[in-house]
Amino acid sequence: MSSNRTIVKSLLQKPASIKSKSQAKQLHAQIIKSKGVHSGLMDSIISMYSNLNLLQDSLLVFNSFPSPSIVAWKSIIKCYTSNGLFLQSLLSFVDMRASGKYPDHNIFPSVLKSCASLINLKVGESVHGCIIRLGLDFDLYTGNALMNMYCKLQNLGEVGAPRSHAALSYKIPESMCSKSINGTCYEFNKQNVGVDSMGILAPTGNEFPQRIETQKTPFLESVRKVFDGMPKRDLVSWNTVIAGLAQNGIHREALMMIKKMADAGLKPDSFSLSSILPIFAEYVDVSKGKEIHGYAIRHGLDTDVFIGSSLIDMYAKCTRVDNSHRVFFLLPQRDAISWNSIIAGCVQNGLFDEGLKLFRQMLMANIKPRHVTFSSIMPACAHLTTLHMGKQLHGYIIRSLFDDNVFIASSLVDMYAKCGNIRIARWIFDKMESPDMVSWTAMIMGYALHGCAHDSLSLFQQMEMENVKPNYVAFVAVLTACSHAGLIDKALILFNSMKQDYGITPGLEHYAAIADLLGRAGRLEEAYEFISSMHIEPTGSVWATLLGACRVHKKVELAENVATKIFELDPENMGSYVLMSNIYAASGRWSDAAKLRITMKGKGMKKKPACSWIEVKNKLHAFMAGDKSHPYYDRINEAMKVLLEQMEREGYVPNTDDVLHDVEEEQKRYILCSHSERLAIGFGIISTPPGTTIRVTKNLRVCVDCHIATKFISKIVGREIIVRDVSRFHHFKDGKCSCGDYW
DNA sequence: ATAGGGTTAG
């Protein structure tokens, strides 16, 4: 059959030309029918099946060999590897060696990939030995695969890979964002050398890599040796090394390699770019990131999904979410990772609603969410305290079998805690097999937000006992807990331990917690000294905690001193003007109070309207302070009025201190009643039967008297009112508030 | 044979 012969001939020449399973099967059948089967043909058939990743068919052919040829072994090993059966792949390799066959250069890439995937250094190194003995270490593909294996081993941190800098926190001023990598080690230069280089020029050094700390990166050292020994290097060689360096925090060398590959006459491609873009994301360096973007556009690479998601992420980490959106919508096709990048970008920049919207769009576009999707979107639910949404996602997570993922579990702990459900948060935490530092911190912070300082502290202690090292954030959490409970001594011990035992430099949050505690305890001078001796410039808000304490303890002179500092540091801090003016008023210095009020008016300062919201029957109801537009506004106010009267009959005195002093008594009551928290609570009361748990899902602000109000309401109406975040509450002891007011 | 996205923060 002549047609048969042509097909067989073409198969023999190009086994990869067969594109589909049915085509392959037809051909296989024809060959069997023609009865011209010989071993060379069988080699071609197994290659064909192996190239199509058809493991069962490959095995069927393979097992029919009495003594498989090199090609057959290669095919079956490759097929095992590409089907993720790494162990079988290595076992086959061992069988092949036992059968006395000498592997050729085609076999090693698959074998090495299996070693890398199994994170098995021992086998990997002995395979490397085998490669050297066979003199195949000069083979391009084998060398590339070797480098890839060592990169992966280093990456998985067998010896504690340095995952250098944590990403800078978001939402910081643009001017503070740019950070050079090791000073002046790279810069952009228009007269750059190389093949249309993107301008990354390393000023010094010709050796690769210039200097790697071999102690910390033994595997990268092996990569270097392989790379240096290669007689010929292609794009893949360079890209492998660049990715390995970039992923292991050796940013400087990674960028230098980009330049060197251009010098070697190779153009950085989409692989190179998507490896180095995360560096600029980490260093929050949008101008360098844009440079890469420009290069990508000039080379028609900007529509690549990989570059697209790196760009989305880079712009988002540089707080340029609008650019992320632009890149996202310009992508011709979007995969799960592109969606994850834009969703995470929104959430990380505080655009929670936008993140949720995109998440829904992702589902509608029939893109299956991956584990990363959930850990990216969950913080949106946590911040919006939308328990309903969070629970739905939790259900989705369980159905997707993702609930054992640390990232997801930690975000769930945080979400439930922030939504007021501390017990479920704890339940999830307890179910975690190996909680990491972030999981512990989420739980510790959860207890802190719920005012359970002792649970918080004992958990912190437990974490230390389990040798989980607390970081900056963990100390913020535990100090917050101390601050709520007035545990000043404990806080000071922790503060010192943070510096001495863990080498963590205290930041604003830590200082603020201590200053707040000292202030509450009435140790005002000490607080003043403490803030003055901070090694970083205190912000207005740190001083403001002290100003609050001054008001409580009626220290007008100190308050004046502090207020001056605040007005200097943060002239727009409206709260402090009000506070200071109230302090003057409370001590009878009316003219000083009036002066400040005039200053405020002159500055045209307006307080951002407060907003609170509450979830009732799976619906979210938001209230702005003083906003009367809600359809139930009158009913809410009526309910609150009845309650306030009842509360007053039971001995409750509304604290009107913080309300501006020149308003009428009636109006004061009105203002109190139109506090957004009150509206939210009131709405909860009128729309639920007694005995319902009401969750107030927004911080209760400053002193006012919301805490007392909530207490009374829960007592009177018989509802359990759960308030999220008691950090602004005053602490009560023996009927006395820590602010010094009696109730 | 090479690449991209994730959790905690007064």
Side-chain angles (χ1 to χ4, degrees), chain A residues 63 195 199 233 240 273 330 390 405 450 497 539 552 563 664:
Chain A
N63 290 332
V195 189
R233 307 176 189 106
T240 304
L273 299 195
L330 284 171
N405 176 293
H450 284 255
S497 152
T539 55
V552 169
E664 295 296 321

Side-chain angles (χ1 to χ4, degrees), chain A residues 223-264:
Chain A
V223 175
R224 188 189 68 83
K225 281 184 189 152
V226 175
F227 186 87
D228 285 349
M230 288 173 80
K232 196 172 158 263
R233 307 176 189 106
D234 67 352
L235 257 175
V236 178
S237 327
W238 287 91
N239 286 340
T240 304
V241 171
I242 289 164
L245 291 168
Q247 288 163 358
N248 286 289
I250 322 278
H251 299 145
R252 190 190 144 172
E253 276 81 3
L255 295 174
M256 232 152 56
M257 288 302 277
I258 292 272
K259 191 246 167 200
K260 283 167 147 276
M261 83 186 274
D263 286 351

